Amino acid sequence: MFTFSSPLALPDSPFFTAAGLTSGSLLLAGCQFEQQHWQADLHQRWQLPLPAALANAVVKRKSEHLASRWLAREVLLQLGVEGFVLRNAADRSPCWPAGIQASLSHSHNQVVMAATREPLCVGVDVEQVMSNDTARETAEMLMNTQERQLLEQLALPFAQGATLLFSLKESLYKALWPQLHQPMDFLQAALCAADLTTGSAVLRLTADFGNGFNQDVALQARFCCEAQRIITLVTHPLAGQ
């Protein structure tokens, strides 16, 4: 699912090393970049201005901003929107054009994005596999007993399984935020099925949020599990669709 079969043309710079996307009504895209090749003039050259709030940010943050805005512009172009520059709302959520549902995530020199004109909630996430210590420290707030047992049945190393669960819930949160604008606790959604062979999963809400997203509503997910990286995608019909 996360094999980007169609390459995207890269700008003339060593900053990007690869970029591509999938075809279909739901576009999935990704790019790899090297933060050591970030230069301030790239923002002007590519007409992707660096916000004043990031003027004194570390290079890591500036390079993530540049790469994610470039990818967003390229993906939106595929949906017929030219010259799009992604900006954030006051709550830091991305502001997408009307009629487009999208989600963006970045981690360790990679950006992933999902976008569609279909009436869908969309949430995507990419994570580096957490350390064993972090997995143990976060397990209690991240998973219930049934989820721990399900992850054990998948026969994944504990840190990899915990990262998969974390990423799935991050994708779910991103998918629902534009509809609910409500914070969610990790235990307010539960993983109830996962299949490593198909890369598919199902999460179920364990709390009532309103607007059609109440307890026991099931949301479909897909994922790609690698040794050091996890990518997840959650989609769900928009309320009333």
Side-chain angles (χ1 to χ4, degrees):
M1 177 191 66
F2 294 101
T3 300
F4 306 121
S5 54
S6 300
L8 289 170
L10 298 177
D12 183 18
S13 167
F15 178 72
F16 286 111
T17 58
L21 78 165
T22 63
S23 59
S25 59
L26 174 64
L27 297 178
L28 296 171
C31 68
Q32 300 275 357
F33 63 95
E34 298 292 343
Q35 71 178 49
Q36 67 267 29
H37 292 301
W38 173 87
Q39 295 177 335
D41 71 318
L42 294 178
H43 293 270
Q44 181 176 4
R45 190 191 311 174
W46 298 340
Q47 298 182 339
L48 295 167
L50 183 71
L54 294 181
N56 297 318
V58 297
V59 169
K60 176 179 182 294
R61 182 69 187 90
K62 292 176 179 177
S63 63
E64 289 171 343
H65 184 276
L66 178 62
S68 60
R69 269 57 188 173
W70 178 85
L71 186 63
R73 184 173 65 189
E74 295 301 307
V75 172
L76 268 290
L77 184 60
Q78 304 295 317
L79 294 175
V81 180
E82 296 186 6
F84 176 71
V85 178
L86 176 61
R87 293 181 171 83
N88 287 8
D91 61 7
R92 299 183 62 187
S93 62
C95 299
W96 303 108
I100 290 178
Q101 287 66 241
S103 181
L104 188 72
S105 179
H106 52 72
S107 176
H108 286 71
N109 287 355
Q110 179 172 25
V111 183
V112 296
M113 181 176 171
T116 184
R117 288 189 178 274
E118 298 294 313
L120 294 172
C121 304
V122 177
V124 72
D125 186 63
V126 58
E127 299 287 343
Q128 289 296 112
V129 173
M130 63 182 71
S131 68
N132 290 327
D133 287 345
T134 300
R136 287 191 294 268
E137 291 167 0
T138 59
E140 186 174 341
M141 73 172 187
L142 181 60
M143 65 185 74
N144 61 33
T145 302
Q146 291 74 28
E147 289 175 305
R148 182 187 285 267
Q149 292 172 347
L150 191 155
L151 292 174
E152 290 173 351
Q153 292 170 7
L154 292 179
L156 290 173
F158 184 69
Q160 194 176 23
T163 306
L164 172 60
L165 183 61
F166 176 87
S167 186
L168 284 166
K169 293 187 177 186
E170 281 289 300
S171 285
L172 183 148
Y173 178 77
K174 291 179 179 181
L176 297 192
W177 177 261
Q179 307 304 312
L180 304 179
H181 293 280
Q182 295 182 44
M184 293 181 66
D185 183 274
F186 282 116
L187 298 181
Q188 289 179 317
L191 180 65
C192 52
D195 188 325
L196 287 178
T197 303
T198 61
S200 60
V202 179
L203 297 107
R204 195 173 299 276
L205 299 181
T206 62
D208 292 335
F209 293 97
N211 199 25
F213 295 101
N214 296 320
Q215 187 170 340
D216 292 332
V217 166
L219 296 98
Q220 303 298 315
R222 292 184 284 168
F223 63 87
C224 175
C225 232
E226 300 176 355
Q228 297 300 322
R229 184 181 62 188
I230 306 288
I231 303 175
T232 59
L233 171 72
V234 169
T235 58
H236 190 78
L238 285 170
Q241 303 296 321

